[in-house]
Amino acid sequence: MTAVPAAQAQLDGFAASAAPAAFRHPQANRELRLQGALVAYALVRARRRSIGFVVSADGLAVRAPMGATLSSIEAALQTKADWIVRKLAQSQVRQQRQAHVRIDWCDGAVLPYLGAPLQLRLVAGEPLTGTLQSDAAPAVLRIGLPSHASAAQLRDTVQAWLMRQAQAHFTQRLNHFAPLLGVQWRSLRLSSAQTRWGSAKSDGSIRLNWRLLHYRPAIIDYVVAHELAHLREMNHSAAFWRTVASVVPEHAVLRRSLRDEPAPRWND
């Protein structure tokens, strides 16, 4: 379930490969050719001084000043054409990989847990809440459901187990990093957001996505430290990143791993 060298090479090598024929934002209202690719983008006018570009899973969104002409906007896009097409291509690859990272909810299914495979076994007489057998290879989660249990029953049971593990694991890591950063957190809530891994408020409340339990501990530590660092710097300034680096020096590598390694889809 984690990124493999070939997949990462595919991402990194897109700049030198032929661009796909087209990229289309769902709210596209303009289009032009960049580096040979047809790019349909969402143009939004706003009270701002410069033209801004955002490449997301949806595609390219452009925010431009009210008075900017279309020719000046397209000229700005052309100056960034290589970067835009490369990022759009990388996003497309990630989405294609994400589409294949699904869990087959049945006895014997495998999902990532703390960066390693975890096999699900339906075993009559076991606690419904699940028992982890970590000395097996791969590790096994034994669940007291009948073999004819529905996919939804199994998914919901495993999700409940993962959320309990997440609450305990995140609490332990918050308690580890908070004194190192000189901050104090007040509360922890688990999130099920699709695109956001965590958030922090100035009152010390932290939200962390329980799906982080799919990733290896070092990546989880990066997200925990990231949110705690916001209790000192409520921004993403240079001072903020220095704060994160003080406890997680390899944060840039871990951040890329979190971005490039898709977590399983749960609600197809």
Side-chain angles (χ1 to χ4, degrees), residues 2-26:
T2 57
V4 296
Q8 188 59 50
Q10 185 180 21
L11 280 174
D12 296 339
F14 249 105
S17 65
F23 301 100
R24 181 170 296 277
H25 193 287

Side-chain angles (χ1 to χ4, degrees), residues 2 9 13 17 36 38 66 72 98 105 113 127 161 184 212 218:
T2 57
S17 65
L38 181 64
M66 297 291 188
S72 66
Q98 177 74 66
W105 293 108
Y113 172 64
W161 183 84
Q184 186 171 8
L212 283 167

Side-chain angles (χ1 to χ4, degrees), residues 125-155:
E126 289 284 345
L128 179 61
T129 52
T131 302
L132 178 64
Q133 184 181 347
S134 57
D135 58 350
V140 174
L141 179 61
R142 299 164 64 89
I143 302 169
L145 284 173
S147 58
H148 60 270
S150 69
Q153 282 180 295
L154 178 56
R155 181 196 63 210

Side-chain angles (χ1 to χ4, degrees), residues 2-185:
T2 57
V4 296
Q8 188 59 50
Q10 185 180 21
L11 280 174
D12 296 339
F14 249 105
S17 65
F23 301 100
R24 181 170 296 277
H25 193 287
Q27 280 82 51
N29 51 13
R30 298 289 304 174
E31 63 181 38
L32 80 164
R33 286 200 172 272
L34 297 175
Q35 299 287 304
L38 181 64
V39 178
Y41 62 95
L43 173 61
V44 178
R45 299 285 186 169
R47 291 184 176 179
R48 53 182 296 145
R49 295 182 178 180
S50 60
I51 299 170
F53 316 119
V54 175
V55 175
S56 68
D58 286 333
L60 174 64
V62 180
R63 293 176 63 84
M66 297 291 188
T69 64
L70 289 175
S71 60
S72 66
I73 293 170
E74 293 188 356
L77 289 171
Q78 291 292 352
T79 64
K80 294 285 188 179
D82 181 70
W83 179 87
I84 291 170
V85 172
R86 184 171 69 253
K87 291 299 182 183
L88 286 169
Q90 290 174 350
S91 179
Q92 188 176 79
V93 169
R94 291 188 194 100
Q95 290 182 71
Q96 291 170 349
R97 288 172 55 202
Q98 177 74 66
H100 295 289
V101 185
R102 291 187 173 92
I103 302 169
D104 183 15
W105 293 108
C106 63
D107 185 28
V110 176
L111 69 155
Y113 172 64
L114 295 178
L118 176 65
Q119 187 175 50
L120 309 179
R121 301 301 306 187
L122 304 184
V123 183
E126 289 284 345
L128 179 61
T129 52
T131 302
L132 178 64
Q133 184 181 347
S134 57
D135 58 350
V140 174
L141 179 61
R142 299 164 64 89
I143 302 169
L145 284 173
S147 58
H148 60 270
S150 69
Q153 282 180 295
L154 178 56
R155 181 196 63 210
D156 292 348
T157 301
V158 173
Q159 179 176 335
W161 183 84
L162 279 173
M163 292 181 75
R164 289 192 297 272
Q165 304 309 306
Q167 186 76 32
H169 187 89
F170 297 164
T171 297
Q172 194 276 331
R173 302 317 290 163
L174 285 166
N175 286 336
H176 171 78
F177 283 110
L180 298 178
L181 290 168
V183 299
Q184 186 171 8
W185 64 281

